[in-house]
Amino acid sequence: MDTTSPPTALVVGATGIAGSALCRLLVGEGRTVLGLSRRSSSEVPGVVGVTADLTDAEGLRRALDGHRPTSVFITAWARQDTEEENIRVNAAMVRDVLDAVRPAGSVRHVALVTGLKHYLGPFEAYGQGDVPDSPFHEDEDRLPYPNFYYAQEDELFAAAARDGFTWSVHRAHTIIGSAVGNAMNMGQTLAAQAAICRATGRPFVFPGSRTQWDGLTDMTDAGLLAEHLWWAATTPAAADTAFNIANGDLFRWRWLWPRLAERLGVEPEGFSGGPRPLEEQMAGSGPVWARLAGAHGLREPDLDRVASWWHTDGDLGRDLECLTDMARSRAAGFVGHRSTLQSFLDLFDRLESDGVVPRP
């Protein structure tokens, strides 16, 4: 492995929630950053754009030929119709990215972002059967059914053993951040819900379960995840380790929901009787959003590229407590922390200033 190449970060999924936050952090620290994405280059000034389809192994090799990244951060995935397909496609993405950078011999560390489905199971078996008690700990055994996170990890471990780089895995809870077109984006989804509620005179209805409304939970700020990724890449004590990453505070949705509603200029309505999924509440709202986009000059008139109702319904509809333990990171020296309420408030400010959602 080459140890003489100047520090260069390759961010895979540079336009996503985690990837864009990491690009902002690294550019702000004066790092050289390659931002790999499928359709467009990063909006972060200073990022060197690399355009490639992660499902095209040959295209990846061509796009990365001549680049010499020293750190690789894999923050992207592609949702498929079945877990079998999730495994095939997403494991291949990890394998093909690492194969594409291998010829340069420059990589010293690779970080992989996954999530709490490591403990809860894939979409097809989410929260079913015996799952670990919360808070989740990194040394829990894998669940006894297929999971694309496990397949991604196995590709990472095999490449690290072959090529001699260190690795880290970062298991985030729901990420609070901004990225138009992202498939899993609760904060942006709630901001879009509120805008539609304001436009139609409806209350801001909590869509989830009684368990989520009343129980304790946590979340992960995208900026904090970026700090965690860079910390692990540059801290010897963090090498070859899987970590949970969450803000470090706990909250109940029955406490947070009215505070979000106040900021978003809507009337809150909490849990009542049973879940009221956003996919049902917001059905047929595309034309409302298109009118809002035209009236306010928003960046994206297609509601499906702003809000991911299905993902927020899945998170808030869970009928089990879901929070994660951060002791392993603390013991290794990571002391980053965020207020989840402030993370949401800061996100709403950013979404409004960037023209993603209208101001109240």
Side-chain angles (χ1 to χ4, degrees), residues 11 97-98 169 182 226 359:
V11 179
V97 165
L98 298 182
V169 174
N182 189 273
R359 300 182 186 276

Short mmCIF file of all heavy atoms in Angstrom, two decimals, residues 11 97-98 169 182 226 359:
data_model
loop_
_atom_site.label_atom_id
_atom_site.label_comp_id
_atom_site.label_asym_id
_atom_site.label_seq_id
_atom_site.Cartn_x
_atom_site.Cartn_y
_atom_site.Cartn_z
N VAL A 11 -15.55 10.63 -1.53
CA VAL A 11 -16.87 10.52 -0.90
C VAL A 11 -17.82 9.91 -1.92
O VAL A 11 -18.15 10.53 -2.94
CB VAL A 11 -17.39 11.89 -0.43
CG1 VAL A 11 -18.77 11.74 0.21
CG2 VAL A 11 -16.41 12.51 0.58
N VAL A 97 -16.52 -0.39 -6.06
CA VAL A 97 -15.80 0.83 -5.70
C VAL A 97 -14.40 0.49 -5.22
O VAL A 97 -13.39 1.09 -5.63
CB VAL A 97 -16.56 1.62 -4.63
CG1 VAL A 97 -15.65 2.68 -3.99
CG2 VAL A 97 -17.79 2.30 -5.21
N LEU A 98 -14.29 -0.51 -4.35
CA LEU A 98 -12.98 -0.86 -3.80
C LEU A 98 -12.08 -1.52 -4.84
O LEU A 98 -10.86 -1.34 -4.81
CB LEU A 98 -13.17 -1.75 -2.57
CG LEU A 98 -13.94 -1.07 -1.42
CD1 LEU A 98 -14.05 -1.99 -0.22
CD2 LEU A 98 -13.31 0.26 -1.04
N VAL A 169 -17.08 1.03 10.35
CA VAL A 169 -18.49 0.96 9.98
C VAL A 169 -19.25 1.90 10.91
O VAL A 169 -19.00 1.91 12.13
CB VAL A 169 -19.04 -0.48 10.09
CG1 VAL A 169 -20.54 -0.50 9.84
CG2 VAL A 169 -18.32 -1.40 9.10
N ASN A 182 -33.09 12.35 -2.13
CA ASN A 182 -32.67 11.26 -1.27
C ASN A 182 -33.85 10.41 -0.89
O ASN A 182 -34.94 10.92 -0.60
CB ASN A 182 -31.99 11.82 -0.03
CG ASN A 182 -31.33 10.75 0.81
OD1 ASN A 182 -31.97 10.15 1.66
ND2 ASN A 182 -30.06 10.49 0.55
N ALA A 226 -20.75 13.20 9.85
CA ALA A 226 -19.55 13.58 9.10
C ALA A 226 -18.34 13.68 10.03
O ALA A 226 -17.25 13.19 9.70
CB ALA A 226 -19.78 14.91 8.39
N ARG A 359 -41.01 29.24 3.19
CA ARG A 359 -41.05 29.75 4.57
C ARG A 359 -42.50 29.81 5.05
O ARG A 359 -43.41 30.04 4.26
CB ARG A 359 -40.43 31.14 4.64
CG ARG A 359 -38.97 31.18 4.20
CD ARG A 359 -38.39 32.57 4.33
NE ARG A 359 -37.04 32.63 3.77
CZ ARG A 359 -35.95 32.28 4.41
NH1 ARG A 359 -36.04 31.89 5.68
NH2 ARG A 359 -34.76 32.37 3.84
#
